[in-house]
Amino acid sequence: GAVVSQHPSWVICKSGTSVKIECRSLDFQATTMFWYRQFPKQSLMLMATSNEGSKATYEQGVEKDKFLINHASLTLSTLTVTSAHPEDSSFYICSAGESGRAWGTDTQYFGPGTRLTVL
Amino acid sequence: AQSVSQHNHHVILSEAASLELGCNYSYGGTVNLFWYVQYPGQHLQLLLKYFSGDPLVKGIKGFEAEFIKSKFSFNLRKPSVQWSDTAEYFCAVNGGGNKLTFGTGTQLKVEL
């Protein structure tokens, strides 16, 4: 149980184009999903918290107009990198916690990540 | 703001050696603590977690961690490592809501 998938697993795009990444909780419902970015040989940096049915909460320094997040259902969140540039190339990882748990006690389950390369 | 420090960036051990990876956190309130593992080419997996109760937590694959509140530490241990434990290990803390703050990770290499 508690499987999170991401699609695509990797994507190469031209500078200026937009890329959409999907994150799905396969066998549980997730009120909240999280989007992280991981640079080579570095830790995961939280970008934003995606809340089902409401606006995402972005971390300081993350451009909300560039990284559009939509959490339309309890099993799907999408991250769209708009007008991508080479500096956006990174490994993007999502996670999801099971709904209904006490505040602060969610265990997050992670997706396999999406490697984005912007040429 | 909460922060997590992992002081060992790279660790190399021989099979059957004992392992201890350090993790210290900075947060003034109640915390939930986690260790995640990322095997080569795979996604992050939960090794173990501490929410409350017994400060010695046992996880999967023979790993355990001890929460020492006075030292703000949550070190990961395994008595005898195997080659298959080669991976990157991340300590994480949740001090408010469900947002996780990760340490920088420790790359463990186990040699035969």
Side-chain angles (χ1 to χ4, degrees), chain A residues 43 59 103-105 107-108 111, chain B residues 32 36 49 51 97-99 103:
Chain A
S43 188
E59 295 300 300
W103 183 84
T105 62
T107 294
Q108 291 186 29
Chain B
N32 298 320
Y36 283 88
K49 60 188 177 185
F51 288 163
N98 289 314
K99 290 167 51 173

Side-chain angles (χ1 to χ4, degrees), chain B residues 53-70:
Chain B
D54 189 342
L56 183 61
V57 183
K58 294 193 183 299
I60 61 171
K61 304 187 180 186
F63 286 91
E64 65 178 31
E66 185 175 12
F67 170 51
I68 302 179
K69 189 175 181 179
S70 61

Side-chain angles (χ1 to χ4, degrees), chain A residues 4 32 34 36 38 41-46 49 59 91 93 101-113, chain B residues 6 10 32 34 36 38 42-46 49 51 88 90-91 94-105:
Chain A
V4 176
T32 304
F34 300 87
Y36 296 85
Q38 186 179 29
K41 301 191 183 300
Q42 294 189 31
S43 188
L44 284 77
M45 298 297 295
L46 180 65
T49 303
E59 295 300 300
F91 195 55
I93 303 172
R101 290 184 175 269
W103 183 84
T105 62
D106 260 5
T107 294
Q108 291 186 29
Y109 299 95
F110 286 80
Chain B
Q6 289 182 246
H10 292 89
N32 298 320
F34 305 80
Y36 283 88
Q38 188 171 29
Q42 297 188 30
H43 61 280
L44 279 166
Q45 300 174 40
L46 181 68
K49 60 188 177 185
F51 288 163
E88 188 152 21
F90 293 94
C91 181
N94 167 349
N98 289 314
K99 290 167 51 173
L100 284 177
T101 298
F102 283 85
T104 51

Side-chain angles (χ1 to χ4, degrees), chain B residues 2-110:
Chain B
Q2 57 200 35
S3 65
V4 180
S5 297
Q6 289 182 246
H7 305 295
N8 314 103
H9 298 295
H10 292 89
V11 173
I12 301 175
L13 294 172
S14 298
E15 267 205 327
S18 64
L19 169 73
E20 181 160 2
L21 301 182
C23 173
N24 288 91
Y25 67 92
S26 173
Y27 186 72
T30 302
V31 292
N32 298 320
L33 298 154
F34 305 80
W35 275 97
Y36 283 88
V37 60
Q38 188 171 29
Y39 296 102
Q42 297 188 30
H43 61 280
L44 279 166
Q45 300 174 40
L46 181 68
L47 265 183
L48 48 80
K49 60 188 177 185
Y50 172 79
F51 288 163
S52 63
D54 189 342
L56 183 61
V57 183
K58 294 193 183 299
I60 61 171
K61 304 187 180 186
F63 286 91
E64 65 178 31
E66 185 175 12
F67 170 51
I68 302 179
K69 189 175 181 179
S70 61
K71 295 184 178 180
F72 298 91
S73 70
F74 190 55
N75 293 355
L76 180 71
R77 299 193 294 248
K78 185 170 183 178
S80 176
V81 294
Q82 299 173 310
W83 177 78
S84 58
D85 293 324
T86 295
E88 188 152 21
Y89 293 80
F90 293 94
C91 181
V93 62
N94 167 349
N98 289 314
K99 290 167 51 173
L100 284 177
T101 298
F102 283 85
T104 51
T106 297
Q107 186 68 51
L108 171 66
K109 181 179 180 181
V110 180

